[in-house]
């Protein structure tokens, strides 16, 4: 019924015979929560019935049983017709009726608790009560028959008569009483008694009510049909539940791949078609300004279409800034060139990108890569000039110096001649 730690706490409270009853009760409530009081008090009943406690411990145990429920009922009056509500009063009556028990001190103590306890009793200790007990002034035993009828009426008021004739769940201790038993042996014995049945019932186990099983009713067509599951039936999980089954989910997966590797031609066409069909899809494909350089290098055509769809976005300036400051390459110039022919890009953006391309060519140490990038930049600038996308006068000095520096390259010489014709 109780765990070893709870039994140890209960025995420590019962062993405080030098402290007054009020202190013992306070320690009892400190150890056990209010919801556990009935279970702990049931264990006290077993300890008292089996005679497993010392005389002073028994006084503390009876006082705890009395004090736990004293706020719910007045002291028992044999002349009253009101049934007491303390469920542990039967242990008081059984102890008083016991013929083998001759302790007059405990007998007088129980009668006082049942009738009218002395006012100074909470301030007295079990040791003091036993030492000052006067047998000649013991309280007279009341009419126990009247008390038992009141207790029985209160205890079984909400219990059917069929359960009242059940067998009591409390089984007497088959072992002889051992007054010399130590506290450790007592704790082990309580565990042995309470380990088999964790519940303590006061109403008993009623006999079985023999009756025929009710017949099966014919199901009505309006009733719900019950499906009998197989013995080893297991639930089946629908993995498609809560999954995105729309056609846009595949497009988002393709765009996610486009950041890492070049897409196949058919995949690229599918992405472009979906972006053309749904202009808002570009906001839900996972593209951010930081991921734009990866998209430009792996799939420039997709990057061009995405940037065109983002022209009305409030973040387009951030995308342009990232595009201008990314490392110069054939794909980045292709993206910028296609954008300049499709829309009117801000002039400062185009000028900043051209300056970035010129400085990138001047900073490269590898002659082969430098010559290759210079050719790309020259072709790019000639395209911008011929399509009248930029005003060459705004960058004339910078572009002219670039052509003179790399005049040994054929494309740079051709760009320089183009500048002279415009001048």
């Amino acid at each position: 019924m109780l765990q070893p730690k709870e039994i140890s706490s209960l025995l420590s409270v019962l062993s405080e015979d030098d402290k007054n009853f009020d202190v013992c009760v306070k320690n009892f409530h400190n150890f056990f929560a209010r919801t556990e009081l009935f279970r702990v008090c049931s264990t006290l009943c077993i300890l008292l019935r089996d005679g497993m406690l010392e005389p002073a411990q028994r006084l503390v145990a009876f006082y705890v049983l009395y004090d736990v429920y004293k706020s719910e009922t007045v002291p028992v009056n044999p002349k009253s017709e009101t049934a007491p509500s303390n469920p542990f009063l039967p242990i008081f009556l059984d102890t008083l009726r016991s013929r083998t028990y001759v302790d007059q001190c405990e007998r007088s103590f129980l009668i006082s608790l049942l009738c009218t306890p002395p006012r100074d009793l909470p301030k007295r200790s079990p040791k003091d009560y036993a030492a000052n007990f006067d047998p000649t002034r013991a309280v007279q035993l009341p009419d126990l028959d009247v008390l038992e009828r009141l207790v029985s009426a209160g205890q079984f008021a909400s219990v059917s008569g069929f359960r009242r004739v059940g067998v009591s769940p409390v089984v007497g201790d088959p072992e002889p009483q051992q007054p010399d038993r130590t506290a450790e042996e007592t704790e082990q014995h309580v565990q042995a008694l309470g380990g088999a049945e964790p519940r303590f019932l006061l109403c008993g186990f009623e006999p079985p009510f023999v009756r025929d099983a009710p017949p099966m009713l014919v199901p009505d067509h309006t009733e719900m049909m019950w499906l009998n599951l197989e013995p080893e039936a297991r639930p089946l999980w629908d993995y498609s539940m809560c999954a995105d089954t729309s056609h846009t989910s595949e497009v988002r997966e393709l765009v996610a791949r486009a950041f890492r590797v070049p897409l196949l031609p058919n995949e690229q066409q599918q992405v472009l078609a979906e972006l053309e069909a749904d202009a808002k899809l570009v906001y839900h494909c996972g593209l951010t300004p930081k991921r734009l350089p990866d998209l430009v290098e792996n799939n420039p055509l997709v990057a061009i279409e995405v940037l065109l769809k983002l022209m009305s976005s409030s973040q387009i300036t951030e995308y342009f800034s990232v595009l201008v400051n990314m490392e110069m390459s054939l794909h980045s110039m292709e993206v910028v060139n296609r954008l300049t022919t499709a829309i009117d890009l801000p002039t400062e953006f185009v000028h900043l990108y051209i300056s970035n391309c010129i400085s990138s060519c001047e900073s490269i140490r590898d002659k082969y890569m430098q010559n290759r990038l210079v050719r790309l930049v020259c072709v790019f600038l000639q395209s911008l000039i011929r399509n009248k996308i930029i005003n060459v006068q705004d960058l004339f000095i910078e572009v002219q110096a670039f052509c003179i520096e790399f005049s040994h390259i054929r494309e740079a010489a051709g760009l320089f001649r183009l500048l002279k014709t415009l001048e």
Side-chain angles (χ1 to χ4, degrees):
M1 297 177 65
L2 297 182
Q3 300 296 326
K5 184 178 179 181
E6 296 175 320
I7 294 178
S8 178
S9 302
L10 180 61
L11 293 177
S12 65
V13 173
L14 298 179
S15 301
E16 296 175 338
D17 56 350
D18 56 339
K19 298 180 180 179
N20 56 50
F21 290 105
D22 195 12
V23 174
C24 293
V25 171
K26 289 182 180 179
N27 293 337
F28 176 80
H29 286 286
N30 290 335
F31 281 121
F32 303 103
R34 183 175 182 83
T35 56
E36 301 293 330
L37 292 183
F38 182 81
R39 186 167 60 92
V40 179
C41 291
S42 301
T43 303
L44 284 178
C45 290
I46 294 178
L47 296 177
L48 291 170
R49 288 182 186 276
D50 291 347
M52 302 176 65
L53 301 177
E54 300 295 331
Q57 293 177 330
R58 291 178 64 87
L59 295 182
V60 177
F62 278 117
Y63 190 83
V64 168
L65 294 177
Y66 156 77
D67 185 83
V68 168
Y69 290 91
K70 72 176 182 179
S71 61
E72 302 181 10
T73 180
V74 296
V76 178
N77 185 358
K79 297 182 180 180
S80 175
E81 295 182 358
T82 304
S85 61
N86 192 327
F88 299 103
L89 285 179
I91 188 66
F92 288 74
L93 301 179
D94 292 345
T95 305
L96 290 175
R97 281 192 178 278
S98 176
R99 298 181 180 180
T100 59
Y101 198 74
V102 294
D103 192 338
Q104 296 297 325
C105 177
E106 180 178 315
R107 187 184 186 89
S108 178
F109 182 76
L110 293 180
I111 296 174
S112 299
L113 294 180
L114 287 175
C115 298
T116 305
R119 293 185 178 180
D120 62 340
L121 182 60
K123 302 302 180 182
R124 301 177 62 181
S125 65
K127 183 182 296 185
D128 176 63
Y129 185 88
N132 298 325
F133 174 69
D134 186 3
T136 61
R137 302 180 61 184
V139 183
Q140 296 296 325
L141 183 67
D143 188 356
L144 299 182
D145 294 336
V146 178
L147 288 178
E148 285 185 347
R149 286 196 298 270
L150 292 176
V151 171
S152 178
Q155 180 178 356
F156 298 109
S158 59
V159 180
S160 65
F162 191 67
R163 290 201 70 185
R164 298 180 195 177
V165 299
V167 180
S168 174
V170 181
V171 181
D173 187 3
E175 300 180 5
Q177 296 184 3
Q178 300 179 7
D180 298 333
R181 180 181 292 166
T182 63
E184 183 178 357
E185 293 174 347
T186 302
E187 180 178 344
Q188 295 176 356
H189 188 68
V190 171
Q191 295 182 35
L193 289 176
E197 176 57 52
R199 298 181 61 193
F200 183 83
L201 303 175
L202 296 178
C203 296
F205 302 102
E206 69 274 12
F209 182 66
V210 181
R211 57 193 181 275
D212 296 333
M216 294 294 294
L217 298 179
V218 179
D220 189 74
H221 68 281
T222 60
E223 296 178 342
M224 182 180 298
M225 182 179 297
W226 177 259
L227 300 178
N228 293 322
L229 301 178
E230 298 180 2
E232 297 182 359
R234 293 178 299 176
L236 297 178
W237 180 256
D238 184 6
Y239 291 96
S240 62
M241 185 170 54
C242 300
D244 190 357
T245 57
S246 61
H247 66 283
T248 58
S249 62
E250 185 177 357
V251 177
R252 287 196 290 267
E253 293 179 1
L254 291 176
V255 173
R257 284 183 52 204
F259 296 133
R260 304 188 301 270
V261 294
L263 298 178
L264 298 175
N266 59 334
E267 294 176 339
Q268 195 174 83
Q269 291 300 324
Q270 181 180 357
V271 173
L272 296 177
E274 293 294 341
L275 291 175
E276 184 66 26
D278 187 1
K280 295 184 179 180
L281 182 60
V282 69
Y283 299 101
H284 308 288
C285 63
L287 177 65
T288 60
K290 292 183 179 180
R291 306 189 72 177
L292 179 62
D294 296 331
L295 185 62
V296 170
E297 291 300 329
N298 290 298
N299 296 275
L301 294 180
V302 177
I304 294 170
E305 188 66 24
V306 167
L307 289 174
L308 291 175
K309 298 297 182 183
L310 288 171
M311 288 303 299
S312 60
S313 171
S314 60
Q315 290 185 310
I316 189 62
T317 305
E318 298 181 30
Y319 287 102
F320 283 160
S321 177
V322 171
L323 185 60
V324 167
N325 294 295
M326 68 176 291
E327 185 178 355
M328 188 193 68
S329 65
L330 174 61
H331 288 169
S332 67
M333 284 191 289
E334 179 184 0
V335 171
V336 174
N337 188 35
R338 292 283 296 273
L339 288 177
T340 56
T341 58
I343 57 175
D344 294 331
L345 290 178
T347 304
E348 60 274 11
F349 161 72
V350 179
H351 291 176
L352 184 60
Y353 184 75
I354 294 174
S355 300
N356 181 36
C357 292
I358 293 175
S359 62
S360 298
C361 293
E362 294 173 348
S363 62
I364 294 178
R365 300 303 177 186
D366 188 347
K367 290 298 181 180
Y368 174 78
M369 291 298 301
Q370 186 182 52
N371 294 338
R372 183 173 181 271
L373 290 179
V374 168
R375 292 189 181 95
L376 293 176
V377 172
C378 290
V379 173
F380 173 65
L381 290 176
Q382 290 181 28
S383 175
L384 295 180
I385 293 173
R386 289 193 174 95
N387 293 326
K388 298 182 180 181
I389 295 174
I390 61 172
N391 186 2
V392 72
Q393 300 300 327
D394 297 337
L395 298 171
F396 185 83
I397 298 177
E398 185 177 4
V399 175
Q400 186 179 31
F402 171 74
C403 295
I404 295 173
E405 181 179 0
F406 298 100
S407 58
H408 61 281
I409 299 177
R410 184 179 58 184
E411 286 78 5
L415 178 60
F416 184 78
R417 288 192 298 269
L418 179 60
L419 292 177
K420 287 301 180 179
T421 59
L422 296 176
E423 184 181 7

